[in-house]
Amino acid sequence: MRHCINCCIQLLPNNKYKQHIGCGEGPLRGHPECPACKGENKIVLRVDGKQMNLLAVLEVRAEGNESWGRFLRFKKGKRCSLVFGLMIMTLVMASYILSGAHQELLISSPFHYGAFPSNPSLTDGENPSDTKEHHHQPSVNNISYVKDYASIKLIINSITARIEFTTRQLPDIEDLKKQELHMFSVIPNKFLPNSKSPCWYEEFTGRNTTDPYLTNSYVLYSKRFRSTFDALRKAFWGHLSHASGKHFRLRCLPRFYIIGQPKCGTTDLYDRLRLHPEVKFSAIKEPHWWTRKRFGIVRLRDGLRDRYPVEDYLDLFDLAAHQIHQGLQAGSAQEQSRMTRIIIGEASASTMWDNNAWTFFYDNSTDGEPPFLTQDFIHAFQPDAKLIVMLRDPVERLYSDYLYFASSNKSADDFHEKVTEALQLFENCMLDYSLRACVYNNTLNNAMPVRLQVGLYAVYLLDWLTVFNKEQFLVLRLEDHASNVKYTMHRVFQFLNLGPLGEKQETLMTKSPASNTRRPEDRNLGPMWPVTQRILQDFYGPFNTRLAQVLADEAFAWRKT
């Protein structure tokens, strides 16, 4: 006949409790009421021949020595069983403690994938010194990732099987005008013939006490730009042209754009290039007007604000316009030639890829693809614009992007999990939509925890090549720029038809430290896991291959040897 032990725990205030062991013993069918508890506020723990859940540990506080006395009065068999059970419990808990100290309790995400013995390169952004090796002890937790690599490979294979680089349908110029009536009313069809940059004069109807930047959205929404506009405001009236009792100001657009990509060295290229005396950039390095501000986007997650009019964007080039105006009004041919050689640039790294706003403004899409892209509007006004693109291995670009933008809990483990989640989301989209529709899908892009789509260079470049000629592009690799800055800058000078620099100027430009390099705290996190690198190489591989074909340069395939 089986027996049981009834253990009653009397609940007291403040989560305290009393224990009454041996309140009753008897056959299984008889459970006499504990006189101390009287059937109120009690939890009954019955221990019989059934297996206990050793992980459910209940702490019990004994009063005095009464419990020990009753324990000693247990029969020998029961004491042995209890001691044996305690020994098993101790061993199990000890194993958890030891394994937890070395293997993080052996608990892993269902989307972890294995590690490989090689170390990925750590080339970051713009600084060649970041290629130094960082040796970090691999987490034992990630050794278990290897066996799951095949499952994520299936997702990549599913995506690869659906990749199709199709030619987009170009919009009609009249359709573009309907979308941006005000922009087309401000920017003329023709520009001044004696200026390298696209410039024109427009009438200024204000008085000499009028603040021309009073309503500029860049000033209103950002305090850090106010000092820049204070200087422009002071110099504004002195750079107007006067004729027939009217006042005219020179307006300009950029002659060239550094259009991408983020975390690929665009800041370093910008900082070096602006040292050339013939180059003048916008008052703000990255206005993001074509892709975001003209739609009223500062941060998409914050919703839409008032749209920035094109006049606010043109204000950013007033400093360069003032100098060009001086050249146009100069009496000497030498001064006129020097000033009119000025070439204006703009370096928003979102220009090439960010079209997230289209879903809010363009409703006549075809199968989820945007009917208008940024390049359509730029080309409508500047069909001869020059475009510079700086790229890097998209695998390393994504990790650098993650380290730069992630705010907390950054680690190789966290990056791996986010990559896996992003791949699954991208595959879900590709099951129902075209490649282009998924790349420009605002909902998908906001849902992915890492910006996987930014590294799909071939998709963006092919779409830009539908409106601009290949000769209008200079496509550079960060890896080449980091290893030979002087050679890269000479290629840029030649592409923009810039004059030669003196020896001191060139030394200053090429020997200065790199800009926007990886932060020390991010560098200390070490590289991504090798298995994450392999997964991303598999994903980006087909896109890199297509890019190398378009550019006729195998270096853009970023094949590891």
Side-chain angles (χ1 to χ4, degrees):
M1 180 179 297
R2 293 187 303 167
H3 286 69
C4 72
I5 302 171
N6 294 337
C7 177
C8 299
I9 304 173
Q10 184 178 358
L11 302 181
L12 298 177
N14 300 323
N15 295 325
K16 296 180 180 179
Y17 45 81
K18 292 183 179 180
Q19 173 194 12
H20 306 279
I21 299 181
C23 297
E25 275 190 43
L28 185 62
R29 62 178 179 272
H31 304 288
E33 181 176 286
C34 176
C37 302
K38 297 182 181 179
E40 300 177 355
N41 296 330
K42 64 178 181 180
I43 301 174
V44 180
L45 174 65
R46 296 188 176 89
V47 183
D48 55 21
K50 296 181 181 180
Q51 183 180 359
M52 286 183 63
N53 181 358
L54 296 180
L55 295 181
V57 181
L58 182 63
E59 180 183 356
V60 180
R61 180 183 301 172
E63 286 192 330
N65 294 324
E66 179 183 357
S67 301
W68 290 105
R70 301 212 176 206
F71 172 77
L72 295 174
R73 290 198 294 271
F74 283 167
K75 293 182 180 179
K76 182 177 180 180
K78 292 184 178 180
R79 291 202 304 269
C80 292
S81 298
L82 184 57
V83 171
F84 182 70
L86 290 173
M87 290 176 61
I88 294 177
M89 182 184 296
T90 301
L91 291 173
V92 171
M93 294 306 296
S95 67
Y96 268 81
I97 293 172
L98 292 175
S99 62
H102 297 285
Q103 301 184 24
E104 300 179 7
L105 295 179
L106 296 178
I107 299 173
S108 62
S109 165
F111 300 119
H112 283 177
Y113 300 89
F116 292 87
S118 62
N119 286 326
S121 64
L122 192 62
T123 304
D124 177 81
E126 301 78 1
N127 194 347
S129 66
D130 287 341
T131 59
K132 295 178 181 179
E133 293 186 3
H134 292 255
H135 300 285
H136 295 260
Q137 291 296 328
S139 170
V140 180
N141 188 33
N142 285 273
I143 296 177
S144 63
Y145 293 171
V146 177
K147 59 180 173 41
D148 296 323
Y149 171 77
S151 60
I152 197 65
K153 180 63 175 175
L154 292 176
I155 295 175
I156 296 174
N157 290 342
S158 174
I159 295 172
T160 302
R162 292 170 172 81
I163 294 176
E164 186 177 359
F165 298 99
T166 60
T167 302
R168 63 182 290 256
Q169 183 178 356
L170 295 180
D172 185 77
I173 185 65
E174 294 302 320
D175 292 330
L176 293 175
K177 290 181 179 179
K178 291 178 183 178
Q179 299 298 326
E180 295 288 354
L181 289 173
H182 180 66
M183 190 195 309
F184 278 88
S185 70
V186 173
I187 302 177
N189 294 326
K190 295 182 179 180
F191 306 112
L192 295 175
N194 50 349
S195 172
K196 289 182 67 174
S197 296
C199 300
W200 68 98
Y201 280 103
E202 72 172 24
E203 185 178 358
F204 178 70
T205 57
R207 299 181 179 182
N208 58 359
T209 57
T210 302
D211 182 358
Y213 308 111
L214 181 64
T215 60
N216 187 289
S217 300
Y218 286 99
V219 182
L220 296 176
Y221 290 121
S222 181
K223 294 181 180 179
R224 63 192 179 100
F225 299 142
R226 293 178 184 174
S227 59
T228 299
F229 281 96
D230 285 341
L232 288 173
R233 191 178 292 109
K234 294 176 181 178
F236 180 79
W237 193 258
H239 292 87
L240 292 180
S241 179
H242 311 281
S244 303
K246 296 181 180 180
H247 312 297
F248 298 88
R249 66 188 295 186
L250 187 67
R251 287 294 207 178
C252 296
L253 281 169
R255 177 70 175 93
F256 72 94
Y257 296 84
I258 300 176
I259 62 174
Q261 291 284 67
K263 305 312 297 176
C264 289
T266 57
T267 299
D268 187 71
L269 179 61
Y270 162 84
D271 283 339
R272 296 182 192 279
L273 190 53
R274 67 177 179 168
L275 296 177
H276 196 291
E278 296 178 13
V279 175
K280 303 298 176 184
F281 278 98
S282 54
I284 302 167
K285 188 255 176 183
E286 293 188 274
H288 297 297
W289 185 80
W290 290 102
T291 56
R292 300 170 187 172
K293 300 301 192 298
R294 71 185 175 103
F295 299 107
I297 295 173
V298 177
R299 285 184 297 268
L300 195 58
R301 63 177 179 270
D302 296 337
L304 300 177
R305 296 184 179 181
D306 293 336
R307 300 179 70 173
Y308 288 30
V310 65
E311 291 89 344
D312 291 0
Y313 179 60
L314 296 175
D315 286 346
L316 302 179
F317 305 103
D318 273 3
L319 182 61
H322 291 169
Q323 297 184 41
I324 295 174
H325 169 73
Q326 281 183 323
L328 294 173
Q329 303 297 319
S332 66
Q334 181 179 2
E335 179 68 11
Q336 186 174 12
S337 175
R338 185 176 68 87
M339 289 299 183
T340 54
R341 283 203 307 267
I342 290 176
I343 181 172
I344 300 175
E346 200 252 72
S348 297
S350 64
T351 306
M352 181 176 179
W353 65 275
D354 190 349
N355 284 272
N356 283 326
W358 77 267
T359 54
F360 299 103
F361 295 92
Y362 310 140
D363 55 1
N364 56 335
S365 64
T366 303
D367 297 327
E369 298 185 7
F372 310 105
L373 295 176
T374 298
Q375 54 265 38
D376 299 329
F377 295 96
I378 295 178
H379 182 268
F381 299 109
Q382 300 174 256
D384 297 327
K386 289 181 175 288
L387 307 163
I388 300 176
V389 184
M390 180 81 89
L391 304 176
R392 74 187 292 189
D393 182 347
V395 176
E396 295 298 330
R397 193 220 70 82
L398 187 63
Y399 190 52
S400 179
D401 194 77
Y402 161 80
L403 292 177
Y404 186 81
F405 289 105
S407 57
S408 61
N409 301 321
K410 290 184 285 189
S411 67
D413 284 337
D414 183 65
F415 177 66
H416 184 93
E417 293 177 2
K418 284 179 167 56
V419 166
T420 303
E421 182 182 348
L423 286 170
Q424 291 172 326
L425 291 170
F426 196 81
E427 184 208 17
N428 289 338
C429 182
M430 290 286 288
L431 293 175
D432 299 316
Y433 297 96
S434 68
L435 173 61
R436 182 178 290 106
C438 292
V439 168
Y440 295 117
N441 188 306
N442 172 58
T443 303
L444 172 63
N445 292 340
N446 286 331
M448 288 194 295
V450 288
R451 300 196 297 182
L452 199 71
Q453 79 282 6
V454 178
L456 304 180
Y457 309 142
V459 177
Y460 303 115
L461 185 59
L462 286 170
D463 282 349
W464 277 80
L465 287 171
T466 60
V467 291
F468 288 98
N469 296 324
K470 188 175 180 181
E471 292 73 23
Q472 293 176 254
F473 287 87
L474 175 63
V475 184
L476 306 168
R477 296 195 332 145
L478 173 62
E479 293 85 354
D480 300 330
H481 177 65
S483 63
N484 194 337
V485 173
K486 184 176 181 179
Y487 174 72
T488 300
M489 298 311 299
H490 280 185
R491 289 188 63 190
V492 174
F493 296 164
Q494 184 178 10
F495 178 71
L496 297 178
N497 296 319
L498 298 175
L501 291 177
E503 184 177 349
K504 290 183 177 180
Q505 287 178 310
E506 185 170 293
T507 299
L508 177 63
M509 178 180 292
T510 58
K511 299 297 183 181
S512 58
S515 304
N516 199 24
T517 58
R518 184 171 296 179
R519 294 168 296 210
E521 60 269 26
D522 291 338
R523 199 174 302 152
N524 291 336
L525 293 175
M528 73 184 83
W529 295 119
V531 67
T532 316
Q533 183 190 42
R534 180 178 175 183
I535 288 170
L536 289 172
Q537 287 172 350
D538 291 343
F539 170 71
Y540 285 121
F543 300 96
N544 295 342
T545 298
R546 184 70 178 112
L547 179 67
Q549 293 172 351
V550 172
L551 298 176
D553 188 347
E554 279 299 307
F556 287 93
W558 286 286
R559 292 188 175 92
K560 302 296 181 180
T561 57

